[in-house]
Amino acid sequence: MFASLQNIFSIPELRRRILFTLGVLVVYRIGCHIPIPGIDSQVLAGFFEGTEGTLLGLVSAFTGGALERMTVFALGIMPYISASIILQLLKVVYEPIEKLSKEGEQGQKKITQYTRYGTIVLSVIQGTGIAIGLQTMRGPAGELVVSYPGTGFVLLTVLTLTAGTAFIMWLGEQITERGIGNGISLIIFAGIVAMIPSALVNTLRLLRTGALSPMAMIFIAVLMVAVVWAIVFMERGQRRVPIHYARRVVGMRNYGGQTSHLPLKVNMAGVIPPIFASSIIMFPATVASLVDLPWVQRIASVMSPDHIIYNIFYVAFIVFFCYFYTAVTFNPVDVAENVKKQGGYVPGIRPGKETSDFLDTVLSRLTFAGAIYVSAVCVLPTILIGQFNVPFFFGGTSLLIVVAVGLDTASQIEAHLVSRSYEGFMKGVTLKGRQG
């Protein structure tokens, strides 16, 4: 391991990229502790104590506690992710965006520009909602969260939160361009990992007071390692569809006659389904924390994470969004057409419609397996919290993000090392897709 780390820092370009990435993440974490003006942080902390299991708690976890402290980075990178998802959905239903996506690099630049504009618009909308909501929030003893409410506070808060999100977006793009790994994913990763120390302290406190037995702690630790192993195993799993290319002669040269494969991941949709499912399923609890009506409170109690109905709806939404997002991002008809144009074919399958039907069948089966796996990982923390009273520092969605981003970053470091004839970062282990 030490030899691998020495190899990493012996390459000037890779060393510079890693140090740049770490420096940007430090800047991001500093910004997560700079509060916006006019907020009573102690009263706000008292309000957020009751938001666990709500949409506010989920967003606060993704921002590394920045929303809970109401800092300049309180919105985090979620507006950018929402704008990106909206643009991806528009590729399917809006023809001009679909044409742009097929225009190569120039079209992608246009889509990236639209994503930035969408991020600013969503930040202004969300910032306005937060600013107005903050003026109505009160602490446990009835204290106001905002000392001096009014139009000035709303405008200042919206401007601060929007500028913070735009700056985070710029930091993420700088990491992607000049650092190592995907910048946006690493920013979310840093926010989630930042919650680990406080979770460890809370767990040790429960262990010391006897609320958590040593045997239960050992069982939970072993189970967490097993879950992480299962996520790595499934995230690397893929079905490799063989593609043969016919031999053709162009002038004096022979082309084709080669065999390749089309990798289809088990979890093609990534972490988008649990994020969407969590946002929808936590909406009643979020409304209940802001509205004091009996029927709303009854619905919220049924939709709490420790209730069986909550878990049923949660799994159902995850399965639905796994199929939906996979259908949006992967079009078997287009893939089959591209393979046919390049002179390729799947052995035993006719090019064209039969190939697209075959890919659709394979992808449907893989998506079902991936949806079951994602559902199991996301529901497991809820069971542990209910059975063992464990203060989990991340839910299933966060765990998927942490492991997936870690694998992606490690694979990029691996590529840098291997391209320069160094031994890989993980000796004896390949970080490429595992054939299933």
Side-chain angles (χ1 to χ4, degrees):
M1 186 65 181
F2 290 107
S4 299
L5 292 175
Q6 185 178 2
N7 290 338
I8 290 175
F9 287 95
S10 64
I11 303 175
E13 181 187 356
L14 183 57
R15 179 177 66 247
R16 184 173 61 253
R17 284 180 173 273
I18 292 177
L19 293 178
F20 178 82
T21 301
L22 293 176
V24 171
L25 293 179
V26 169
V27 172
Y28 166 69
R29 289 307 304 164
I30 292 175
C32 289
H33 291 82
I34 302 176
I36 61 177
I39 299 293
D40 191 328
S41 56
Q42 294 183 350
V43 177
L44 185 66
F47 173 81
F48 269 92
E49 287 180 358
T51 60
E52 294 183 3
T54 68
L55 189 57
L56 294 176
L58 176 69
V59 176
S60 181
F62 281 176
T63 59
L67 179 64
E68 183 176 345
R69 291 185 289 269
M70 201 53 63
T71 66
V72 295
F73 291 164
L75 289 180
I77 201 63
M78 296 302 289
Y80 180 85
I81 296 175
S82 301
S84 300
I85 293 172
I86 291 173
L87 262 296
Q88 288 185 2
L89 295 177
L90 285 177
K91 291 179 184 178
V92 181
V93 299
Y94 190 54
E95 187 175 354
I97 300 297
E98 182 183 3
K99 290 181 178 179
L100 277 178
S101 65
K102 297 180 179 180
E103 291 181 1
E105 184 178 354
Q106 292 300 321
Q108 190 58 45
K109 286 183 179 179
K110 272 290 184 182
I111 292 178
T112 301
Q113 186 177 4
Y114 292 155
T115 304
R116 293 170 181 166
Y117 294 154
T119 301
I120 299 301
V121 172
L122 291 178
S123 298
V124 171
I125 295 173
Q126 294 180 15
T128 303
I130 288 177
I132 296 174
L134 284 172
Q135 297 182 107
T136 62
M137 291 182 183
R138 295 179 179 271
E143 316 96 318
L144 287 173
V145 172
V146 180
S147 304
Y148 301 99
T151 305
F153 171 79
V154 173
L155 293 176
L156 179 61
T157 302
V158 172
L159 179 62
T160 303
L161 294 178
T162 303
T165 298
F167 185 64
I168 295 176
M169 179 176 60
W170 181 80
L171 290 178
E173 292 177 351
Q174 293 302 306
I175 291 177
T176 303
E177 181 180 350
R178 303 171 58 186
I180 195 77
N182 182 282
I184 303 300
S185 300
L186 281 173
I187 286 177
I188 300 176
F189 174 90
I192 296 172
V193 171
M195 307 294 287
I196 293 179
S198 60
L200 291 177
V201 171
N202 292 337
T203 303
L204 293 176
R205 186 182 298 115
L206 289 176
L207 191 62
R208 195 164 48 244
T209 58
L212 187 65
S213 65
M215 289 302 298
M217 186 64 194
I218 294 174
F219 172 76
I220 292 170
V222 172
L223 190 59
M224 288 177 64
V225 173
V227 171
V228 172
W229 176 87
I231 293 176
V232 174
F233 182 82
M234 295 297 292
E235 289 296 323
R236 291 172 55 218
Q238 57 182 224
R239 168 73 183 274
R240 296 181 179 178
V241 179
I243 304 292
H244 289 188
Y245 292 93
R247 184 180 300 275
R248 51 198 174 96
V249 180
V250 179
M252 301 296 292
R253 294 177 177 270
N254 291 328
Y255 294 93
Q258 299 177 350
T259 300
S260 181
H261 67 269
L262 176 66
L264 300 177
K265 291 186 62 177
V266 175
N267 182 23
M268 186 76 74
V271 298
I272 298 300
I275 290 177
F276 275 21
S278 299
S279 302
I280 293 175
I281 207 72
M282 288 179 178
F283 185 74
T286 306
V287 173
S289 65
L290 302 175
V291 179
D292 189 14
L293 293 176
W295 64 273
V296 174
Q297 297 295 330
R298 285 196 297 270
I299 294 176
S301 63
V302 173
M303 299 304 293
S304 60
D306 57 348
H307 203 282
I308 184 64
I309 295 181
Y310 170 92
N311 291 297
I312 292 175
F313 276 99
Y314 192 27
V315 171
F317 277 122
I318 288 177
V319 173
F320 169 77
F321 283 118
C322 277
Y323 277 98
F324 177 78
Y325 196 75
T326 301
V328 169
T329 56
F330 186 91
N331 190 335
V333 177
D334 292 344
V335 174
E337 189 65 25
N338 291 333
V339 171
K340 181 180 179 180
K341 288 179 180 179
Q342 296 172 5
Y345 63 94
V346 178
I349 306 295
R350 288 179 179 272
K353 186 178 185 304
E354 290 191 14
T355 299
S356 65
D357 292 341
F358 171 76
L359 293 177
D360 185 64
T361 301
V362 172
L363 193 61
S364 297
R365 294 173 180 174
L366 289 175
T367 303
F368 178 77
I372 298 301
Y373 137 71
V374 173
S375 300
V377 171
C378 292
V379 171
L380 182 62
T382 304
I383 298 175
L384 289 179
I385 292 174
Q387 296 296 324
F388 298 100
N389 194 26
V390 178
F392 253 61
F393 65 92
F394 49 57
T397 306
S398 304
L399 181 58
L400 285 172
I401 293 174
V402 168
V403 177
V405 173
L407 287 174
D408 178 64
T409 306
S411 64
Q412 291 198 26
I413 295 175
E414 180 93 356
H416 277 277
L417 291 173
V418 173
S419 66
R420 290 164 176 79
S421 301
Y422 281 91
E423 188 170 4
F425 180 60
M426 303 291 287
K427 293 183 178 180
V429 177
T430 176
L431 291 176
K432 297 180 180 179
R434 177 187 54 79
Q435 184 173 0

